[in-house]
Amino acid sequence: MSSSANAPRLTSLSHGGGCGCKISPAILAGLLRRSAAAAPHAALLVGTETGDDAAVYQLNDSQALIATTDFFMPIVDDPFDFGRIAATNALSDVYAMGGRPILALALLAMPVNVLPPEVIREILRGGETVCAEAGIPIAGGHSIDSVEPIYGLAALGLVHPKSVLRNSGARAGDALILGKPLGVGILSAALKKGALTAGGYRQLIDTTTRLNSAGPDLAALAGVHAMTDVTGFGLLGHLLGMCRGAGLGARVRLGQVPEIEGVRELLREGHVTGASARNWASYGDEVRLAPELTSLDQALLCDPQTSGGLLVACAPETVPAALGIFAREGFGRAAVIGEMTPGAAIATVES
């Protein structure tokens, strides 16, 4: 092909898109059970123990290295936007640990005989733009010829060893704050079927390309005890990860959970990702939904979020300061959605 105008839609080249193409939680858990655990190492502060967002390795008394990688197939057809979304999503894991990124490496797999070079260059340019916004270089990477287009980053960051925020540190009574509204998977499903409006697309791009830069300042608050980001396993999946790690339950009030404008209408029209059902099948027995909640509510709570928001567990008295940080960083929809509770690692959802 000689021109990007003749290039196929990016989403038509992949069987899934964004964080919706993650291996389901149940299958992943089975695979990891058969894997050898990381050998004990005094400097490894965070490994695979609780499925946290990144590995953390202590370098000295004041610095720890955060290492993570994330990549996926296209969630949108615009190559520049795809690159931006993938890069924002990858850097989120560094922010979710309370750190600041320092550099990234590009991971690129492309059907080079199908996509013209200018399309692939636009994907790379999108990632470079986001990394420039984060103040870091893309210092190298790796590329292969692939049947499906895939892009992402290996990202490195730094954090003070005492400021590392794990997904397992929540305490009973902690308030739960969600930084971004839900619905990315629903919007992407509508986009793939040609049913997403121009306004809906703008919302999709706005939320998925907003860096979770509030993470380091949230980590500096003494009352913040745990943090993760909500991605492919949906709000319930990542919340349950917090619950299991802390040995606690959680209560969520659906009416307080922020939603992207228009997602309810799209849900009623049937725009649900397959990953949403796979997520529920993987962890639904750990969830108690109020009787009045519907299958649409369930689909939203399990909706895979590409480049989703930070989920924070903090002391109730810390909530105003935490919401202030979110607001300052551009997350005006951040909201308290529930709290951690004593007892078994069960998520209870009320209306």
Side-chain angles (χ1 to χ4, degrees), residues 262-294:
V263 296
R264 287 287 173 172
E265 181 179 349
L266 291 172
L267 274 172
R268 286 190 288 270
E269 294 172 358
H271 299 294
V272 181
T273 69
S276 178
R278 291 194 298 274
N279 282 341
W280 179 258
S282 295
Y283 53 65
D285 59 350
E286 300 172 86
V287 180
R288 303 291 180 266
L289 295 180
E292 65 271 19
L293 299 184
T294 69

mmCIF file of all heavy atoms in Angstrom, residues 262-294:
data_model
loop_
_atom_site.group_PDB
_atom_site.id
_atom_site.type_symbol
_atom_site.label_atom_id
_atom_site.label_comp_id
_atom_site.label_asym_id
_atom_site.label_seq_id
_atom_site.Cartn_x
_atom_site.Cartn_y
_atom_site.Cartn_z
ATOM 1 N N GLY A 262 -23.203 9.231 28.524
ATOM 2 C CA GLY A 262 -23.739 8.476 27.397
ATOM 3 C C GLY A 262 -23.542 6.981 27.455
ATOM 4 O O GLY A 262 -24.087 6.255 26.611
ATOM 5 N N VAL A 263 -22.796 6.468 28.457
ATOM 6 C CA VAL A 263 -22.520 5.023 28.460
ATOM 7 C C VAL A 263 -23.774 4.206 28.759
ATOM 8 O O VAL A 263 -23.912 3.087 28.247
ATOM 9 C CB VAL A 263 -21.391 4.642 29.450
ATOM 10 C CG1 VAL A 263 -20.078 5.267 29.060
ATOM 11 C CG2 VAL A 263 -21.755 4.999 30.880
ATOM 12 N N ARG A 264 -24.689 4.737 29.532
ATOM 13 C CA ARG A 264 -25.907 3.986 29.844
ATOM 14 C C ARG A 264 -26.739 3.748 28.579
ATOM 15 O O ARG A 264 -27.273 2.650 28.373
ATOM 16 C CB ARG A 264 -26.735 4.722 30.893
ATOM 17 C CG ARG A 264 -26.160 4.673 32.283
ATOM 18 C CD ARG A 264 -26.335 3.313 32.892
ATOM 19 N NE ARG A 264 -25.652 3.203 34.174
ATOM 20 C CZ ARG A 264 -25.781 2.167 34.990
ATOM 21 N NH1 ARG A 264 -26.560 1.155 34.651
ATOM 22 N NH2 ARG A 264 -25.132 2.121 36.123
ATOM 23 N N GLU A 265 -26.828 4.763 27.765
ATOM 24 C CA GLU A 265 -27.578 4.609 26.518
ATOM 25 C C GLU A 265 -26.902 3.577 25.618
ATOM 26 O O GLU A 265 -27.567 2.734 25.003
ATOM 27 C CB GLU A 265 -27.678 5.954 25.802
ATOM 28 C CG GLU A 265 -28.474 5.897 24.497
ATOM 29 C CD GLU A 265 -28.587 7.250 23.826
ATOM 30 O OE1 GLU A 265 -28.228 8.261 24.462
ATOM 31 O OE2 GLU A 265 -29.024 7.282 22.668
ATOM 32 N N LEU A 266 -25.584 3.625 25.546
ATOM 33 C CA LEU A 266 -24.865 2.651 24.717
ATOM 34 C C LEU A 266 -25.028 1.235 25.266
ATOM 35 O O LEU A 266 -25.153 0.271 24.492
ATOM 36 C CB LEU A 266 -23.383 3.023 24.653
ATOM 37 C CG LEU A 266 -23.059 4.305 23.877
ATOM 38 C CD1 LEU A 266 -21.586 4.677 24.041
ATOM 39 C CD2 LEU A 266 -23.407 4.149 22.405
ATOM 40 N N LEU A 267 -25.052 1.104 26.584
ATOM 41 C CA LEU A 267 -25.294 -0.207 27.185
ATOM 42 C C LEU A 267 -26.670 -0.739 26.793
ATOM 43 O O LEU A 267 -26.821 -1.915 26.448
ATOM 44 C CB LEU A 267 -25.182 -0.119 28.708
ATOM 45 C CG LEU A 267 -23.798 -0.254 29.327
ATOM 46 C CD1 LEU A 267 -23.859 0.050 30.822
ATOM 47 C CD2 LEU A 267 -23.222 -1.646 29.094
ATOM 48 N N ARG A 268 -27.672 0.135 26.859
ATOM 49 C CA ARG A 268 -29.028 -0.293 26.503
ATOM 50 C C ARG A 268 -29.121 -0.702 25.036
ATOM 51 O O ARG A 268 -29.969 -1.520 24.665
ATOM 52 C CB ARG A 268 -30.021 0.830 26.819
ATOM 53 C CG ARG A 268 -30.297 0.994 28.316
ATOM 54 C CD ARG A 268 -31.454 1.924 28.566
ATOM 55 N NE ARG A 268 -31.119 3.308 28.282
ATOM 56 C CZ ARG A 268 -30.617 4.154 29.179
ATOM 57 N NH1 ARG A 268 -30.392 3.756 30.412
ATOM 58 N NH2 ARG A 268 -30.352 5.412 28.841
ATOM 59 N N GLU A 269 -28.218 -0.149 24.214
ATOM 60 C CA GLU A 269 -28.202 -0.510 22.796
ATOM 61 C C GLU A 269 -27.396 -1.780 22.533
ATOM 62 O O GLU A 269 -27.286 -2.228 21.385
ATOM 63 C CB GLU A 269 -27.625 0.648 21.974
ATOM 64 C CG GLU A 269 -28.503 1.901 21.979
ATOM 65 C CD GLU A 269 -27.817 3.088 21.336
ATOM 66 O OE1 GLU A 269 -26.644 2.948 20.918
ATOM 67 O OE2 GLU A 269 -28.442 4.165 21.263
ATOM 68 N N GLY A 270 -26.807 -2.340 23.597
ATOM 69 C CA GLY A 270 -26.095 -3.608 23.461
ATOM 70 C C GLY A 270 -24.613 -3.519 23.220
ATOM 71 O O GLY A 270 -23.981 -4.520 22.849
ATOM 72 N N HIS A 271 -24.013 -2.357 23.467
ATOM 73 C CA HIS A 271 -22.578 -2.191 23.225
ATOM 74 C C HIS A 271 -21.790 -2.607 24.469
ATOM 75 O O HIS A 271 -21.435 -1.783 25.319
ATOM 76 C CB HIS A 271 -22.273 -0.753 22.833
ATOM 77 C CG HIS A 271 -22.962 -0.327 21.580
ATOM 78 N ND1 HIS A 271 -22.678 -0.863 20.341
ATOM 79 C CD2 HIS A 271 -23.970 0.565 21.378
ATOM 80 C CE1 HIS A 271 -23.448 -0.316 19.434
ATOM 81 N NE2 HIS A 271 -24.249 0.558 20.030
ATOM 82 N N VAL A 272 -21.531 -3.892 24.565
ATOM 83 C CA VAL A 272 -20.797 -4.467 25.698
ATOM 84 C C VAL A 272 -19.649 -5.297 25.145
ATOM 85 O O VAL A 272 -19.818 -6.030 24.166
ATOM 86 C CB VAL A 272 -21.714 -5.354 26.569
ATOM 87 C CG1 VAL A 272 -20.945 -5.926 27.743
ATOM 88 C CG2 VAL A 272 -22.914 -4.557 27.054
ATOM 89 N N THR A 273 -18.488 -5.206 25.754
ATOM 90 C CA THR A 273 -17.350 -5.996 25.283
ATOM 91 C C THR A 273 -17.442 -7.436 25.798
ATOM 92 O O THR A 273 -18.014 -7.701 26.858
ATOM 93 C CB THR A 273 -16.018 -5.409 25.775
ATOM 94 O OG1 THR A 273 -15.914 -5.590 27.195
ATOM 95 C CG2 THR A 273 -15.916 -3.929 25.450
ATOM 96 N N GLY A 274 -16.857 -8.359 25.048
ATOM 97 C CA GLY A 274 -16.783 -9.743 25.510
ATOM 98 C C GLY A 274 -15.971 -9.870 26.778
ATOM 99 O O GLY A 274 -16.225 -10.760 27.599
ATOM 100 N N ALA A 275 -14.993 -8.964 26.959
ATOM 101 C CA ALA A 275 -14.154 -9.021 28.157
ATOM 102 C C ALA A 275 -14.955 -8.778 29.419
ATOM 103 O O ALA A 275 -14.610 -9.278 30.490
ATOM 104 C CB ALA A 275 -13.015 -8.018 28.051
ATOM 105 N N SER A 276 -16.027 -7.997 29.320
ATOM 106 C CA SER A 276 -16.863 -7.734 30.492
ATOM 107 C C SER A 276 -17.457 -9.027 31.030
ATOM 108 O O SER A 276 -17.426 -9.293 32.243
ATOM 109 C CB SER A 276 -17.971 -6.747 30.127
ATOM 110 O OG SER A 276 -18.829 -6.514 31.220
ATOM 111 N N ALA A 277 -17.988 -9.859 30.147
ATOM 112 C CA ALA A 277 -18.561 -11.138 30.574
ATOM 113 C C ALA A 277 -17.474 -12.073 31.095
ATOM 114 O O ALA A 277 -17.685 -12.798 32.081
ATOM 115 C CB ALA A 277 -19.304 -11.786 29.412
ATOM 116 N N ARG A 278 -16.305 -12.076 30.450
ATOM 117 C CA ARG A 278 -15.208 -12.930 30.923
ATOM 118 C C ARG A 278 -14.756 -12.490 32.308
ATOM 119 O O ARG A 278 -14.432 -13.330 33.165
ATOM 120 C CB ARG A 278 -14.038 -12.888 29.940
ATOM 121 C CG ARG A 278 -14.315 -13.557 28.600
ATOM 122 C CD ARG A 278 -13.033 -13.789 27.827
ATOM 123 N NE ARG A 278 -12.330 -12.559 27.503
ATOM 124 C CZ ARG A 278 -12.568 -11.816 26.429
ATOM 125 N NH1 ARG A 278 -13.523 -12.173 25.576
ATOM 126 N NH2 ARG A 278 -11.875 -10.720 26.198
ATOM 127 N N ASN A 279 -14.712 -11.191 32.533
ATOM 128 C CA ASN A 279 -14.340 -10.697 33.850
ATOM 129 C C ASN A 279 -15.318 -11.203 34.915
ATOM 130 O O ASN A 279 -14.915 -11.704 35.962
ATOM 131 C CB ASN A 279 -14.314 -9.164 33.859
ATOM 132 C CG ASN A 279 -13.073 -8.593 33.211
ATOM 133 O OD1 ASN A 279 -12.063 -9.280 33.045
ATOM 134 N ND2 ASN A 279 -13.137 -7.321 32.825
ATOM 135 N N TRP A 280 -16.622 -11.048 34.653
ATOM 136 C CA TRP A 280 -17.624 -11.488 35.627
ATOM 137 C C TRP A 280 -17.511 -12.987 35.890
ATOM 138 O O TRP A 280 -17.600 -13.433 37.040
ATOM 139 C CB TRP A 280 -19.017 -11.132 35.153
ATOM 140 C CG TRP A 280 -20.085 -11.583 36.109
ATOM 141 C CD1 TRP A 280 -20.899 -12.666 35.993
ATOM 142 C CD2 TRP A 280 -20.408 -10.971 37.369
ATOM 143 N NE1 TRP A 280 -21.730 -12.772 37.090
ATOM 144 C CE2 TRP A 280 -21.450 -11.740 37.948
ATOM 145 C CE3 TRP A 280 -19.938 -9.857 38.047
ATOM 146 C CZ2 TRP A 280 -22.011 -11.421 39.182
ATOM 147 C CZ3 TRP A 280 -20.499 -9.534 39.274
ATOM 148 C CH2 TRP A 280 -21.520 -10.310 39.834
ATOM 149 N N ALA A 281 -17.295 -13.772 34.859
ATOM 150 C CA ALA A 281 -17.162 -15.220 35.029
ATOM 151 C C ALA A 281 -15.950 -15.571 35.887
ATOM 152 O O ALA A 281 -15.936 -16.599 36.570
ATOM 153 C CB ALA A 281 -17.054 -15.900 33.662
ATOM 154 N N SER A 282 -14.945 -14.699 35.882
ATOM 155 C CA SER A 282 -13.715 -14.968 36.631
ATOM 156 C C SER A 282 -13.833 -14.638 38.108
ATOM 157 O O SER A 282 -13.195 -15.281 38.939
ATOM 158 C CB SER A 282 -12.554 -14.163 36.034
ATOM 159 O OG SER A 282 -12.263 -14.582 34.719
ATOM 160 N N TYR A 283 -14.638 -13.623 38.458
ATOM 161 C CA TYR A 283 -14.653 -13.207 39.861
ATOM 162 C C TYR A 283 -16.045 -12.928 40.421
ATOM 163 O O TYR A 283 -16.187 -12.429 41.540
ATOM 164 C CB TYR A 283 -13.756 -11.982 40.076
ATOM 165 C CG TYR A 283 -14.004 -10.787 39.183
ATOM 166 C CD1 TYR A 283 -15.201 -10.071 39.232
ATOM 167 C CD2 TYR A 283 -13.019 -10.340 38.308
ATOM 168 C CE1 TYR A 283 -15.414 -8.960 38.434
ATOM 169 C CE2 TYR A 283 -13.215 -9.220 37.499
ATOM 170 C CZ TYR A 283 -14.414 -8.536 37.562
ATOM 171 O OH TYR A 283 -14.617 -7.435 36.773
ATOM 172 N N GLY A 284 -17.096 -13.264 39.671
ATOM 173 C CA GLY A 284 -18.446 -12.938 40.119
ATOM 174 C C GLY A 284 -18.847 -13.568 41.435
ATOM 175 O O GLY A 284 -19.677 -13.014 42.175
ATOM 176 N N ASP A 285 -18.239 -14.727 41.771
ATOM 177 C CA ASP A 285 -18.597 -15.360 43.043
ATOM 178 C C ASP A 285 -18.017 -14.616 44.239
ATOM 179 O O ASP A 285 -18.329 -14.950 45.387
ATOM 180 C CB ASP A 285 -18.162 -16.832 43.053
ATOM 181 C CG ASP A 285 -16.670 -17.019 42.840
ATOM 182 O OD1 ASP A 285 -15.978 -16.045 42.502
ATOM 183 O OD2 ASP A 285 -16.190 -18.158 43.004
ATOM 184 N N GLU A 286 -17.179 -13.609 43.986
ATOM 185 C CA GLU A 286 -16.627 -12.790 45.069
ATOM 186 C C GLU A 286 -17.357 -11.452 45.181
ATOM 187 O O GLU A 286 -16.908 -10.561 45.906
ATOM 188 C CB GLU A 286 -15.137 -12.533 44.828
ATOM 189 C CG GLU A 286 -14.282 -13.786 44.768
ATOM 190 C CD GLU A 286 -12.862 -13.479 44.338
ATOM 191 O OE1 GLU A 286 -12.043 -13.143 45.219
ATOM 192 O OE2 GLU A 286 -12.572 -13.553 43.132
ATOM 193 N N VAL A 287 -18.477 -11.320 44.476
ATOM 194 C CA VAL A 287 -19.224 -10.061 44.438
ATOM 195 C C VAL A 287 -20.647 -10.296 44.903
ATOM 196 O O VAL A 287 -21.258 -11.320 44.585
ATOM 197 C CB VAL A 287 -19.238 -9.481 43.006
ATOM 198 C CG1 VAL A 287 -20.019 -8.173 42.965
ATOM 199 C CG2 VAL A 287 -17.815 -9.269 42.485
ATOM 200 N N ARG A 288 -21.176 -9.347 45.662
ATOM 201 C CA ARG A 288 -22.572 -9.384 46.086
ATOM 202 C C ARG A 288 -23.260 -8.132 45.540
ATOM 203 O O ARG A 288 -23.031 -7.022 46.022
ATOM 204 C CB ARG A 288 -22.675 -9.418 47.623
ATOM 205 C CG ARG A 288 -21.948 -10.589 48.274
ATOM 206 C CD ARG A 288 -22.621 -11.923 47.979
ATOM 207 N NE ARG A 288 -21.901 -13.020 48.626
ATOM 208 C CZ ARG A 288 -20.961 -13.751 48.029
ATOM 209 N NH1 ARG A 288 -20.619 -13.486 46.765
ATOM 210 N NH2 ARG A 288 -20.371 -14.735 48.670
ATOM 211 N N LEU A 289 -24.082 -8.315 44.514
ATOM 212 C CA LEU A 289 -24.814 -7.196 43.931
ATOM 213 C C LEU A 289 -26.173 -7.056 44.605
ATOM 214 O O LEU A 289 -26.869 -8.050 44.814
ATOM 215 C CB LEU A 289 -25.023 -7.412 42.431
ATOM 216 C CG LEU A 289 -23.776 -7.444 41.528
ATOM 217 C CD1 LEU A 289 -24.199 -7.678 40.083
ATOM 218 C CD2 LEU A 289 -22.984 -6.151 41.652
ATOM 219 N N ALA A 290 -26.563 -5.833 44.908
ATOM 220 C CA ALA A 290 -27.894 -5.592 45.467
ATOM 221 C C ALA A 290 -28.950 -6.095 44.477
ATOM 222 O O ALA A 290 -28.757 -6.008 43.254
ATOM 223 C CB ALA A 290 -28.086 -4.103 45.733
ATOM 224 N N PRO A 291 -30.070 -6.629 44.970
ATOM 225 C CA PRO A 291 -31.087 -7.234 44.091
ATOM 226 C C PRO A 291 -31.613 -6.293 43.011
ATOM 227 O O PRO A 291 -31.994 -6.745 41.928
ATOM 228 C CB PRO A 291 -32.199 -7.632 45.060
ATOM 229 C CG PRO A 291 -31.541 -7.738 46.391
ATOM 230 C CD PRO A 291 -30.433 -6.734 46.397
ATOM 231 N N GLU A 292 -31.653 -5.006 43.302
ATOM 232 C CA GLU A 292 -32.220 -4.069 42.332
ATOM 233 C C GLU A 292 -31.263 -3.733 41.187
ATOM 234 O O GLU A 292 -31.661 -3.113 40.195
ATOM 235 C CB GLU A 292 -32.651 -2.774 43.028
ATOM 236 C CG GLU A 292 -31.523 -1.957 43.629
ATOM 237 C CD GLU A 292 -31.189 -2.334 45.066
ATOM 238 O OE1 GLU A 292 -31.578 -3.452 45.489
ATOM 239 O OE2 GLU A 292 -30.556 -1.520 45.759
ATOM 240 N N LEU A 293 -30.002 -4.139 41.300
ATOM 241 C CA LEU A 293 -29.044 -3.854 40.237
ATOM 242 C C LEU A 293 -29.266 -4.794 39.060
ATOM 243 O O LEU A 293 -29.658 -5.946 39.226
ATOM 244 C CB LEU A 293 -27.616 -3.966 40.757
ATOM 245 C CG LEU A 293 -27.258 -2.995 41.892
ATOM 246 C CD1 LEU A 293 -25.798 -3.120 42.268
ATOM 247 C CD2 LEU A 293 -27.577 -1.551 41.492
ATOM 248 N N THR A 294 -29.015 -4.299 37.868
ATOM 249 C CA THR A 294 -29.342 -5.018 36.644
ATOM 250 C C THR A 294 -28.100 -5.577 35.961
ATOM 251 O O THR A 294 -26.966 -5.318 36.373
ATOM 252 C CB THR A 294 -30.049 -4.077 35.657
ATOM 253 O OG1 THR A 294 -29.094 -3.094 35.190
ATOM 254 C CG2 THR A 294 -31.221 -3.363 36.314
#
